[in-house]
Amino acid sequence: MSHLTSVPSGPEPEGTDLATELLRRCARDDDVAFAQLYDLTAPRVFGLVRRVVRDPGQAEEVTQEVYLELWRHASRFDAGRSSALAWVFTIAHRRAVDRVRSAEAAGKRDVVYGHRHREVAHDATSEVVQDRWEARRVRAALETLTPIQRKAVDLAFFGGYTHSEIAVMLDIPLGTAKTRVRDGLIRLRDALGAEGS
Amino acid sequence: MTDDIHSLSGAYAVDALTDAERAAFEEHLEHCAACRDEVDSLREAAADLSLLSAEEPPASLRHDVLRRVSTVRPEPPRLADRRARRRTRTWLAGVAAAAVVAAGVGVGVTQPWQDTSQAPQLTVAERIERADDAQRISVSFDDGSVATVLRSESLNRAVIETSDMAPPPEGQHYVVWLQEPDGQMHHAGAMPADASDASMPLKGDAAAAIGAGITIESDPQTPEPTSEPVALFSFT
Ligand SMILES: [Zn+2]
């Protein structure tokens, strides 16, 4: 039935962005909206997953899983709690991290570890032009973090490591890495917010 | 109080906890609103980091994803969960949470033996439902409440019906508007104080209107909406 009614959007209230609208339509079984959501988010979803899992083939698999989950669970999105994009990337990140950890648990640690030894976050790519300005804004916000906070956030987000692993990698006392991650994210949030996103 | 559990919020937000820590923290989240809010806000910030790793995926991936998705349907909303959630917040933050669940589908049932003109005892809603050109547009909210506008162009009538709707904030009122083709909002009535399960015919030119909206107002007779709508119904 929902296919009969490409939903009239009407006047959009403030703060209701395109991704939010698309997710709502996905929840109503609207595959056109889903394709649009894919086009809107795929470079950031795929790029994030690939950064975390490293292997391009696995990144493709995980990206497929992510989109399948977005489609199936679109009705779970709660716009009162998060933006649509944050919800999308939260799911993508979780899936990617689950993949590297289970790959390691399955005994591929050495292989994956070899791949995972790479400097991240700052040398970042940018094949995607339209997001460049936004990316600059994020880099600037990252500059407000202390080096250790930045490194901790980097290893957690792009490396997919646990805070205990990060403590060892950064050679800081166990139990302090989680504080670095948290303080770093708070600074990042405040810097991004202060600039008005 | 060993090792303050709140301090795990950041690591949790970026999936940097072990499974055991994660489970423990999620239990904590159940009853710590401060951590819930913090996690939400940190996830928003972390989401922006993905701008730094953006990378064009292989073109074949799009095809694969769309093909896979075409074989499954989206899960229906989980009604029980939704009802359990914070009601007041939903209406206030509710604009974005609103989801149109059905739009523009004629629900008219032709019943030749029942001429609507000979049934004056029917309510406006019932008359609209019997019209050939009946429209039913529902907006559901995260807390499970639903608002529905029934409209018939031929009858030039519209009715709003609410189901299980949270009360407006203290001292405020839900006001319903009909949107005219030029975009102007026409006051179509203020909902009764207890609007939880109400049915209210809308004042104005329902046939010409292109949509309806609900705002929260302190003056129920305000000539113009003074806030963003919490729900919108499009007739077109
Ligand atoms: Zn807490």
Side-chain angles (χ1 to χ4, degrees):
Chain A
M1 193 151 95
S2 53
H3 287 293
L4 297 175
T5 63
S6 97
V7 172
S9 42
E12 279 297 342
E14 212 100 63
T16 309
D17 61 2
L18 177 61
T20 303
E21 178 58 26
L22 293 175
L23 270 180
R24 283 190 207 149
R25 286 169 55 192
C26 287
R28 302 192 295 268
D29 204 5
D30 182 338
D31 51 4
V32 175
F34 180 79
Q36 276 181 269
L37 182 71
Y38 179 88
D39 293 336
L40 183 69
T41 56
R44 282 174 69 182
V45 167
F46 176 74
L48 173 59
V49 169
R50 181 158 136 67
R51 184 65 78 86
V52 175
V53 308
R54 305 298 164 94
D55 176 68
Q58 289 205 40
E60 285 192 48
E61 276 175 39
V62 173
T63 302
Q64 285 199 35
E65 288 170 12
V66 169
Y67 279 101
L68 204 61
E69 180 171 348
L70 293 174
W71 171 248
R72 292 189 57 232
H73 294 167
S75 67
R76 296 187 189 179
F77 167 60
D78 179 353
R81 278 196 66 181
S82 79
S83 71
L85 288 181
W87 190 71
V88 167
F89 299 128
T90 295
I91 287 173
H93 191 261
R94 178 74 200 278
R95 286 261 172 190
V97 167
D98 283 353
R99 175 62 69 102
V100 277
R101 295 208 187 134
S102 62
E104 287 171 346
K108 299 178 194 163
R109 176 174 290 275
D110 46 342
V111 179
V112 180
Y113 190 79
H115 282 289
R116 284 175 76 184
H117 236 53
R118 188 149 69 93
E119 191 67 17
V120 276
H122 272 251
D123 59 339
T125 70
S126 253
E127 282 92 342
V128 184
V129 183
Q130 71 268 27
D131 284 339
R132 263 190 204 152
W133 187 84
E134 283 285 290
R136 253 206 306 274
R137 196 172 66 83
V138 175
R139 280 199 195 87
L142 275 173
E143 291 301 321
T144 67
L145 276 60
T146 66
I148 195 95
Q149 286 172 346
R150 200 155 53 224
K151 198 68 210 164
V153 167
D154 190 11
L155 289 168
F157 192 73
F158 289 121
Y161 296 101
T162 67
H163 69 97
S164 312
E165 290 166 342
I166 294 169
V168 175
M169 294 166 88
L170 294 183
D171 199 19
I172 54 180
L174 213 64
T176 57
K178 61 174 188 280
T179 313
R180 299 292 167 266
V181 171
R182 178 175 179 235
D183 293 348
L185 286 172
I186 287 173
R187 274 204 194 185
L188 178 69
R189 175 194 70 192
D190 294 348
L192 288 168
E195 222 192 309
S197 52
Chain B
M1 289 304 283
T2 53
D3 224 8
D4 190 4
I5 193 158
H6 306 284
S7 67
L8 290 177
S9 64
Y12 176 80
V14 291
D15 304 305
L17 297 180
T18 63
D19 289 345
E21 290 168 330
R22 185 180 179 90
F25 190 74
E26 281 180 346
E27 205 175 311
H28 170 70
L29 278 180
E30 288 293 312
H31 42 257
C32 182
C35 278
R36 277 202 302 274
D37 288 346
E38 184 164 288
V39 165
D40 289 347
S41 75
L42 297 182
R43 278 184 170 160
E44 296 287 336
D48 277 357
L49 288 175
S50 69
L51 282 160
L52 301 180
S53 51
E55 177 180 341
E56 207 56 61
S60 59
L61 187 60
R62 183 179 199 273
H63 176 79
D64 294 344
V65 165
L66 297 184
R67 188 171 39 82
R68 259 182 94 172
V69 155
S70 71
T71 64
V72 285
R73 67 166 200 166
E75 221 177 49
R78 294 180 300 176
L79 299 171
D81 287 11
R82 301 162 90 212
R83 190 145 313 211
R85 283 211 216 119
R86 314 139 279 174
R87 297 179 58 102
T88 49
R89 183 174 169 188
T90 311
W91 266 111
L92 295 173
V95 185
V100 178
V101 294
V105 182
V107 293
V109 185
T110 314
Q111 294 168 311
W113 63 91
Q114 188 178 28
D115 181 352
T116 53
S117 65
Q118 288 170 2
Q121 74 277 18
L122 294 178
T123 65
V124 179
E126 287 166 335
R127 281 167 49 208
I128 293 173
E129 276 182 332
R130 283 166 170 70
D132 285 342
D133 61 347
Q135 254 186 324
R136 168 188 288 271
I137 302 132
S138 292
V139 171
S140 63
F141 294 86
D142 252 10
D143 63 355
S145 61
V146 179
T148 302
V149 170
L150 296 164
R151 170 186 179 247
S152 160
E153 212 172 311
S154 61
L155 295 176
N156 191 15
R157 296 305 302 268
V159 169
I160 186 161
E161 297 190 324
T162 54
S163 160
D164 204 21
M165 182 120 123
E170 187 69 27
Q172 309 264 75
H173 309 265
Y174 292 128
V175 174
V176 186
W177 306 86
L178 280 174
Q179 188 171 23
E180 293 161 1
D182 62 1
Q184 293 274 68
M185 292 299 208
H186 173 89
H187 194 294
M191 301 286 288
D194 178 12
S196 60
D197 291 286
S199 175
M200 182 178 83
L202 301 186
K203 291 179 288 188
D205 190 348
I210 58 167
I214 305 174
T215 60
I216 295 174
E217 305 289 348
S218 50
D219 172 9
Q221 296 311 324
T222 176
E224 285 178 355
T226 64
S227 59
E228 291 294 328
V230 295
L232 287 169
F233 310 82
S234 177
F235 300 158
T236 53

